[in-house]
């Protein structure tokens, strides 16, 4: 039975800027994205027959067309006309769900990469990203991964040099976020502060981790409801107090992360936060 195993890494936003609302209802974005070693694992099996069968190690996930991994397989079939046969996708989730870390988008991108290999389609990264764009705005970046600038809806990707080796502590507080609601809130008032994206790009080009950490910035933090913003600030402070060079929220949250150059401080901070918050992770950039 032909099968492939693919990894789907989580992403962090080193910067996230919203430049305005577009005529198609989406927002014009400018974001520096970074993949990390925390990853889901997907096993794709193809047999005689028909249908897409998704399973996961988490009971509460939808396993039909509402799941981006399922949607990606459907979209690949629709876009290329290829016959999937009876496709089973077994997902082992490690990335927290609804966390601002693109878990769903990364699973979708992994399905596209995996099917490309399994079916010997010979599609290149740009062709896979083009299909991914129809599944979700973050999917094209996830097809490529690494360090990259994402513009437009988030689907226009420019690869960047890798960050210097570092350690990242990620922590997900337990409040839910609504992405469309936060976008709507940003629309109600002008974004007051923007990230220094140009400075971030220069810092990355120079391999200057301190300068990268100083420029972490996400405009969505500004429009969080007050109690949640307080919680995010508290966690950012805890990461800095633990020795992080910089800290920030990723995506529409609620995950907050800190970048460390010293492994011992990252490990200690991870241990301290993990005592209070279950979904705390120590990861590396990839
Ligand atoms: O593209 P995706 O389905 O991931 O987007 C989810 C939602 O996020 C959209 O329906 C929209 O409300 C918001 N969004 C946006 N502008 C973007 C990306 C997402 O307004 N560039």
């Amino acid at each position: 039975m032909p099968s492939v195993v693919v990894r789907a890494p989580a992403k962090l936003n080193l910067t996230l800027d919203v430049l305005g609302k577009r005529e198609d209802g989406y927002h014009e974005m400018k974001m520096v994205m970074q993949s990390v070693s925390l990853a889901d694992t997907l096993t794709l099996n193809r047999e005689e027959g028909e249908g897409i069968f998704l399973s996961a190690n988490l009971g509460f996930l939808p396993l039909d067309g509402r799941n981006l991994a399922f949607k990606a397989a459907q979209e690949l079939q629709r876009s290329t006309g290829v016959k999937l046969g009876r496709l089973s996708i077994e997902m082992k989730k490690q990335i927290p769900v609804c966390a601002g870390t693109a878990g769903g988008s990364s699973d979708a991108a992994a399905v596209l990469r995996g099917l490309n290999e399994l079916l010997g389609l010979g599609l290149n990264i740009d062709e896979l990203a083009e299909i991914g764009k129809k599944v979700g705005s973050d999917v094209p970046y996830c097809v490529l991964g690494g360090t990259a600038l994402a513009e437009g809806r988030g689907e226009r990707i420019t690869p960047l040099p890798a960050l210097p080796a570092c350690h990242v502590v990620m922590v997900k507080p337990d409040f839910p976020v609504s992405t469309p609601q936060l976008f709507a809130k940003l629309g109600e008032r002008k974004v007051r502060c923007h990230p220094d994206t140009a400075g971030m790009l220069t810092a990355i080009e120079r391999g200057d981790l301190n300068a990268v950490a100083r420029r972490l910035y996400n405009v969505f933090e500004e429009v969080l409801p007050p109690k949640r913003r307080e919680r995010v600030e508290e966690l950012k402070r805890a990461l800095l107090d633990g020795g992080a060079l910089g800290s920030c929220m990723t995506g529409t949250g609620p995950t907050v992360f800190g970048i460390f150059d010293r492994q011992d401080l990252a490990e200690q901070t991870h241990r301290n936060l993990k005592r209070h918050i279950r979904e705390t992770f120590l990861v590396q950039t990839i």
Side-chain angles (χ1 to χ4, degrees), residues 25-27 29 135-137 152-154 179-180 183:
Y26 283 93
H27 291 76
M29 315 286 291
V135 181
S137 303
R153 245 175 73 195
T179 297
F183 269 112

Side-chain angles (χ1 to χ4, degrees), residues 97-167:
V97 176
C98 296
T101 49
S105 301
S106 193
D107 293 340
V111 166
L112 296 179
R113 280 190 269 106
L115 285 176
N116 193 33
E117 187 185 329
L118 189 66
L119 307 175
L121 299 177
L123 298 171
N124 63 32
I125 293 287
D126 289 343
E127 289 166 326
L128 290 175
E130 196 56 39
I131 299 171
K133 191 163 100 178
K134 297 173 197 148
V135 181
S137 303
D138 278 345
V139 180
Y141 160 72
C142 292
V143 166
L144 182 70
T147 312
L149 175 69
E151 295 173 280
R153 245 175 73 195
E155 88 290 11
R156 233 171 49 232
I157 311 300
T158 311
L160 298 170
L163 283 196
C166 61
H167 307 274

